[in-house]
Amino acid sequence: AQSVTQLGSHVSVSEGALVLLRCNYSSSVPPYLFWYVQYPNQGLQLLLKYTSAATLVKGINGFEAEFKKSETSFHLTKPSAHMSDAAEYFCAVSPFGNEKLTFGTGTRLTIIP
Amino acid sequence: EAGVTQFPSHSVIEKGQTVTLRCDPISGHDNLYWYRRVMGKEIKFLLHFVKESKQDESGMPNNRFLAERTGGTYSTLKVQPAELEDSGVYFCASSQRSEAFFGQGTRLTVV
């Protein structure tokens, strides 16, 4: 069985500050891990994914995530927040990469001007 | 190239009525998934089609939900009769290999 925990349903950061969204997973097999973003009135868009290659994964819009097996974590970061980053972010896990995704509860990111 | 398209974007129906949601996947994508997000909770898997066959329907909540994918193209998800707890956002996604592309979702409100 797989599960995902996202700590913090709401996160607020100042424009230009570091963004850190936390994700911990549980998986009985080496997982594929994903971060999706949902902007207002849009569908889910893939930010980045971990597929057992490099542990530091770079995604779109300046985001990156680091896979830490010892901590079962896949936290999402961005060095400097921009107003356009305001959205809801979802961490997800899949056992084989092209199977059903198990999502976390999501984190709504607010950027303070 | 068109993305995953879902119809309608919003639907408000009364308890006991029937609603049909439609999903048009990206052309050529064999895999089609339905997910649901209820009341700000996590997005939960409902079922997975490979072409016209149901590969995994372990997430379907009960027999009031019926999904079809005739001809392996578009898919419909029918809820009959709808209950209050069926309210939520229904997402469709399609994939050919490892990346799933999501539609904008259908917001269903049962009153």
Side-chain angles (χ1 to χ4, degrees):
Chain A
Q2 301 190 311
S3 66
V4 173
T5 301
Q6 289 185 244
L7 292 176
S9 57
H10 291 83
V11 171
S12 296
V13 302
S14 297
E15 189 175 15
L18 171 72
V19 175
L20 170 61
L21 304 183
R22 300 180 185 273
C23 172
N24 288 85
Y25 69 92
S26 172
S27 177
S28 56
V29 298
Y32 288 76
L33 293 159
F34 306 80
W35 275 99
Y36 281 86
V37 60
Q38 186 180 23
Y39 298 104
N41 301 317
Q42 296 187 28
L44 295 167
Q45 179 181 1
L46 181 66
L47 267 181
L48 49 81
K49 61 182 178 182
Y50 167 76
T51 58
S52 75
T55 56
L56 182 62
V57 182
K58 294 187 182 299
I60 62 172
N61 301 336
F63 284 92
E64 61 182 35
E66 185 173 9
F67 172 69
K68 292 187 177 180
K69 184 178 179 180
S70 61
E71 299 177 5
T72 60
S73 69
F74 190 56
H75 302 330
L76 181 70
T77 61
K78 181 174 180 177
S80 177
H82 191 273
M83 295 301 295
S84 61
D85 295 327
E88 192 160 18
Y89 293 79
F90 297 90
C91 182
V93 63
S94 172
F96 304 113
N98 194 29
E99 301 293 329
K100 63 184 180 184
L101 296 165
T102 299
F103 285 89
T105 51
T107 297
R108 185 169 297 280
L109 177 65
T110 300
I111 309 299
I112 303 167
Chain B
E1 179 181 339
V4 177
T5 308
Q6 293 186 245
F7 303 96
S9 57
H10 294 82
S11 179
V12 180
I13 62 171
E14 293 184 350
K15 176 182 173 181
Q17 288 186 323
T18 298
V19 63
T20 300
L21 313 181
R22 173 170 168 145
C23 169
D24 287 77
I26 293 173
S27 178
H29 281 193
D30 290 337
N31 296 288
L32 187 149
Y33 306 84
W34 284 98
Y35 292 86
R36 178 175 73 170
R37 191 182 191 199
V38 173
M39 289 294 291
K41 295 185 177 180
E42 69 269 29
I43 300 168
K44 284 194 173 181
F45 167 83
L46 295 178
L47 86 160
H48 172 202
F49 283 100
V50 178
K51 297 184 179 179
E52 68 274 10
S53 300
K54 293 177 184 176
Q55 180 78 10
D56 181 354
E57 52 183 330
S58 60
M60 294 288 266
N62 51 60
N63 59 10
R64 295 186 293 104
F65 289 75
L66 175 64
E68 295 181 324
R69 191 182 182 192
T70 306
T73 55
Y74 71 91
S75 175
T76 58
L77 180 64
K78 180 189 289 187
V79 185
Q80 179 181 28
E83 298 290 345
L84 298 179
E85 63 264 27
D86 300 332
S87 296
V89 180
Y90 290 76
F91 291 101
C92 175
S94 72
S95 73
Q96 188 58 16
R97 292 185 177 85
S98 63
E99 180 176 347
F101 294 84
F102 282 78
Q104 293 185 331
T106 294
R107 181 174 296 277
L108 175 65
T109 303
V110 183
V111 298

